Amino acid sequence: MASLTAFGAVDSLIFGSECGELAALRSVAAALDSPELPAALAPHLQKGLPFAAARQAAVHSLLLSSPNNILGIEYLRALRQLGSNIQPLTISRQGAPHDAAEPDTDFPSASQLRQRFLTGQDISSSLPPAMAEQLELARQRGALPQLELWERAFLARLRAMTETDYAALPDVTEGLEHRLYRASRTAKTTEELLTNAKTKRYTHARLRRVLLAAMLELPAGLSAVEPPYLRVLGFTTKGAEILNRAKGRHTLPLSASLAELEKAGEAAARFAALEARAADLYHAFTPGLAPCGSEYTTPVIKI
């Protein structure tokens, strides 16, 4: 939300939600920002409930049981906290639920599409034409990662970490570093590691975020830092018009060049280095094995 607000040329945010009712989402967002919420959370956390489940019980709303409702509520909270002029709108989400495993031929979930793609199925009919084209080009260039290569390197990285290293990661609290350390010493797969480390309080989703931060060496507190720049990765003809509209209105440095953006200050240099390192790791697990530095040489995508 901070990036969209700083861009200066966005006046509306449209998102899908299971309920499709903005007023209902606003009411839950207000409840979550209420000063009375921490006291309401305490008894549920003391029962050993995960934070997400405790929050749902405290707010007394089934809206928080649906992932896109939860995401929409966080959008609304962020817009209010930023004092943004962006106006939110929501539409009713159709098709398979988020992360659903069961097939849905009309509106499959992103998880279903990824699984189909990994098994060699053609998913182009479920993608925008431009996206399908870029995916095929990436496949032809050998630029798509091989998960079996990633997992072995991932486990090697985790096995090299100490409990102190785990404790320094984002979102690690209440002794979670001990569980992660013990699980990393014995797990033969990422899924086994997640299963061994999971408890009622620590969901798979939270653990995945922590482990990815470990692989990318992301420091704690990074998500709370304001974005230091706005980076353009690609645009369409319509997108070019919007970029022109943002001239003179954006409040953060705006460019397609990472080399240019990293000169915008200390925070920008730190974020640019993290972006470049993440891309270098990604390419290390692709058949093409592109050299380091691709974030500084890959041209902006124009469709």
Side-chain angles (χ1 to χ4, degrees):
M1 288 307 112
S3 295
L4 286 178
T5 300
F7 184 59
V10 175
D11 55 21
S12 300
L13 173 69
I14 304 175
F15 59 89
S17 62
E18 286 83 0
C19 77
E21 297 178 12
L22 189 61
L25 297 176
R26 284 188 188 277
S27 67
V28 178
L32 291 176
D33 287 328
S34 168
E36 300 175 0
L37 182 64
L41 273 174
H44 301 291
L45 291 173
Q46 289 170 1
K47 294 177 183 178
L49 287 177
F51 177 80
R55 187 172 69 167
Q56 179 181 337
V59 176
H60 294 291
S61 173
L62 290 177
L63 288 173
L64 280 177
S65 65
S66 302
N68 290 280
N69 284 342
I70 294 172
L71 186 59
I73 289 164
E74 294 304 322
Y75 289 156
L76 297 175
R77 296 178 71 196
L79 288 173
R80 181 166 53 189
Q81 290 165 8
L82 289 167
S84 176
N85 292 323
I86 295 175
Q87 296 300 308
L89 298 168
T90 189
I91 57 176
S92 180
R93 190 181 190 277
Q94 304 295 315
H98 174 74
D99 266 351
E102 66 273 10
D104 187 301
T105 54
D106 294 327
F107 299 102
S109 69
S111 297
Q112 291 170 350
L113 289 177
R114 284 192 293 269
Q115 187 58 39
R116 293 176 190 177
F117 182 77
L118 290 174
T119 57
Q121 297 181 50
D122 181 10
I123 62 171
S124 58
S125 62
S126 298
L127 302 176
M131 181 183 294
E133 179 183 355
Q134 291 298 321
L135 186 62
E136 176 59 22
L137 289 174
R139 186 190 65 78
Q140 293 176 7
R141 294 197 310 268
L144 297 179
Q146 294 179 326
L147 297 185
E148 61 272 18
L149 296 178
W150 159 265
E151 181 161 69
R152 185 57 62 93
F154 194 30
L155 292 173
R157 161 66 179 154
L158 298 177
R159 287 186 172 197
M161 294 177 62
T162 65
E163 290 186 323
T164 301
D165 294 330
Y166 280 109
L169 294 173
D171 209 24
V172 171
T173 58
E174 303 168 316
L176 177 56
E177 66 272 19
H178 306 305
R179 296 189 64 86
L180 290 172
Y181 177 77
R182 289 195 297 269
S184 70
R185 310 303 291 172
T186 58
K188 297 179 181 179
T189 66
T190 305
E191 193 60 34
E192 182 182 345
L193 193 156
L194 291 169
T195 299
N196 291 345
K198 183 182 179 298
T199 68
K200 288 183 178 180
R201 184 162 292 190
Y202 307 126
T203 63
H204 269 188
R206 178 179 176 181
L207 294 176
R208 287 192 189 99
R209 289 195 298 270
V210 170
L211 296 182
L212 185 59
M215 188 67 176
L216 298 176
E217 298 181 26
L218 302 182
L222 186 66
S223 61
V225 178
E226 292 295 318
Y229 53 70
L230 303 172
R231 186 182 177 197
V232 180
L233 300 179
F235 54 85
T236 62
T237 302
K238 181 65 176 178
E241 296 175 6
I242 297 173
L243 286 170
N244 285 330
R245 194 185 311 158
K247 289 181 178 178
R249 301 168 69 176
H250 57 85
T251 57
L252 288 174
L254 173 66
S255 175
S257 168
L258 191 61
E260 178 182 330
L261 291 170
E262 70 179 2
K263 299 175 183 177
E266 183 178 343
R270 184 158 59 99
F271 269 69
L274 289 173
E275 282 202 70
R277 185 169 67 205
D280 292 342
L281 278 173
Y282 175 93
H283 289 297
F285 306 120
T286 62
L289 195 61
C292 292
S294 63
E295 289 298 276
Y296 295 96
T297 59
T298 301
V300 64
I301 298 173
K302 299 178 183 180
I303 300 174

